[in-house]
Amino acid sequence: MYIKTNRYQQFDSIEIKESLFKKFDLPNHFHETYCIGLLSNGIKKSVIEETPQLIHSNSVSIINPYQIHSDKNIDNEDCLYKMIYQNQDVLKYFTKKIIGKNSENLQFTNELITDKTVITSILEFFNDMNNENLLENKLKNLIETLIIRGFSKETCIIHKENKHAIDDSINKARLNFADKIDIQKMAFESKLSKFQFIRYFKKKTGLTPASYILLNRINSAKTLLEKGFPIGEIALDVGFYDHAQFCKFFKYYTNISPSEYKRNCNIIQA
């Protein structure tokens, strides 16, 4: 197993990660960022919003923010993965520079990309990783390549304020993830039975309420680990009972322990 993470304070803490795993099986989860990944070796299976996909060597896959997906390797080869985690606001910034207008609902294709120019643009991030001065050009080149070569589209979805009880519950779960998980209370506040609430919540997010809250805890914990906070303190701050429970769920969703994640983070100040 090998993992190296560089998180740059530039551009809302963009994260560049290289990982090598012999075996992994990650359950349904999501990220708050765009995840652009190049598989350099091995074969893995992803399920993106219930659509299965085989990802082979020298191909690129992109997950949009909050898309539910799972990952696991399906052969005995080492799985070498290079990932770029990019904030939504950063994408908007560069998209405006490239196409000359704001683009609120830009999404990338979930289809495999084997375009050599895209692959080269991703590999550029892993050359001279400690030089943050080159980051802006690398980002602009990658996003420009993805847009010009047709791997992105602007969705027709118009986001409006929605007062539906489930939407309110999702927002509360995202904001108050450190609170005790009480599905019965959430269902009562939504004026639904517990069974109805879980069914509607999962239909809306792709996850059960408990899994959704746990993932928000894990994502928050990653940020605190990168800032150097003690693991035991983080466990309590994000809502786990103790250090052991935190470590159990962190490894379940990330395939590594909190201490391994913390040890392999390289935070580069702007």
Side-chain angles (χ1 to χ4, degrees):
M1 183 190 76
Y2 161 83
I3 183 168
K4 180 180 180 181
T5 301
N6 276 30
R7 181 184 275 271
Y8 302 83
Q9 298 300 335
Q10 259 182 304
F11 301 118
D12 289 332
S13 298
I14 183 171
E15 185 176 301
I16 314 296
K17 179 181 291 182
E18 184 175 65
S19 59
L20 176 69
F21 289 103
K22 189 76 174 178
K23 183 175 178 58
F24 64 93
D25 188 355
L26 301 179
N28 275 343
H29 62 288
F30 64 83
H31 304 275
E32 297 173 346
T33 59
Y34 292 91
C35 306
I36 304 171
L38 168 63
L39 186 65
S40 299
N41 191 70
I43 302 174
K44 77 166 190 169
K45 179 182 179 181
S46 290
V47 180
I48 305 172
E49 293 183 339
E50 300 184 350
T51 300
Q53 180 184 75
L54 277 183
I55 300 175
H56 51 79
S57 298
N58 297 315
S59 61
V60 175
S61 59
I62 305 178
I63 306 293
N64 295 296
Y66 297 104
Q67 278 194 316
I68 302 300
H69 61 287
S70 62
D71 297 292
K72 67 177 180 179
N73 65 321
I74 59 170
D75 63 0
N76 294 320
E77 295 290 324
D78 289 333
C79 209
L80 178 60
Y81 218 54
K82 300 178 187 293
M83 294 292 301
I84 300 166
Y85 297 89
Q86 179 181 292
N87 185 283
Q88 297 178 65
D89 290 334
V90 174
L91 181 73
K92 292 176 186 177
Y93 167 77
F94 281 103
T95 300
K96 185 176 182 180
K97 292 187 71 171
I98 293 164
I99 66 177
K101 67 175 184 178
N102 289 321
S103 182
E104 291 296 322
N105 303 313
L106 197 72
Q107 299 282 290
F108 291 110
T109 178
N110 290 135
E111 297 175 2
L112 281 188
I113 300 172
T114 56
D115 186 290
K116 290 183 178 179
T117 307
V118 175
I119 293 172
T120 300
S121 294
I122 293 173
L123 289 173
E124 283 296 317
F125 281 87
F126 296 86
N127 295 328
D128 200 9
M129 288 179 69
N130 292 325
N131 189 345
E132 68 269 27
N133 295 323
L134 301 175
L135 190 60
E136 182 166 358
N137 281 336
K138 291 178 180 180
L139 271 172
K140 185 175 182 295
N141 289 340
L142 174 58
I143 297 167
E144 189 170 26
T145 299
L146 289 168
I147 291 174
I148 290 174
R149 294 183 176 262
F151 299 116
S152 66
K153 63 179 180 178
E154 191 161 4
T155 65
C156 297
I157 299 172
I158 300 174
H159 298 287
K160 295 182 178 179
E161 187 177 6
N162 190 333
K163 296 297 184 182
H164 191 276
I166 292 295
D167 293 301
D168 290 341
S169 293
I170 292 169
N171 288 331
K172 287 179 181 177
R174 186 179 298 172
L175 294 172
N176 305 315
F177 57 83
D179 293 348
K180 181 181 177 181
I181 299 175
D182 190 338
I183 307 301
Q184 189 67 54
K185 181 181 177 183
M186 295 171 73
F188 177 79
E189 291 175 347
S190 300
K191 297 181 173 59
L192 294 167
S193 71
K194 185 176 179 180
F195 174 79
Q196 287 176 317
F197 175 74
I198 293 172
R199 182 159 58 90
Y200 289 142
F201 194 103
K202 188 172 183 179
K203 184 177 180 181
K204 189 80 174 179
T205 67
L207 294 169
T208 64
S211 295
Y212 187 85
I213 292 169
L214 284 171
L215 275 166
N216 277 284
R217 289 179 179 180
I218 297 301
N219 288 335
S220 179
K222 287 180 180 179
T223 301
L224 295 175
L225 285 166
E226 289 155 6
K227 291 180 178 179
F229 286 92
I231 292 174
E233 182 179 317
I234 293 172
L236 298 178
D237 284 348
V238 300
F240 290 100
Y241 293 127
D242 54 27
H243 179 277
Q245 189 197 38
F246 170 52
C247 292
K248 172 186 174 182
F249 281 107
F250 192 93
K251 188 162 187 177
Y252 177 70
Y253 282 110
T254 68
N255 211 51
I256 59 173
S257 69
S259 58
E260 288 170 325
Y261 184 90
K262 184 177 182 179
R263 187 166 56 250
N264 287 286
C265 284
N266 180 23
I267 311 303
I268 299 177
Q269 301 294 334

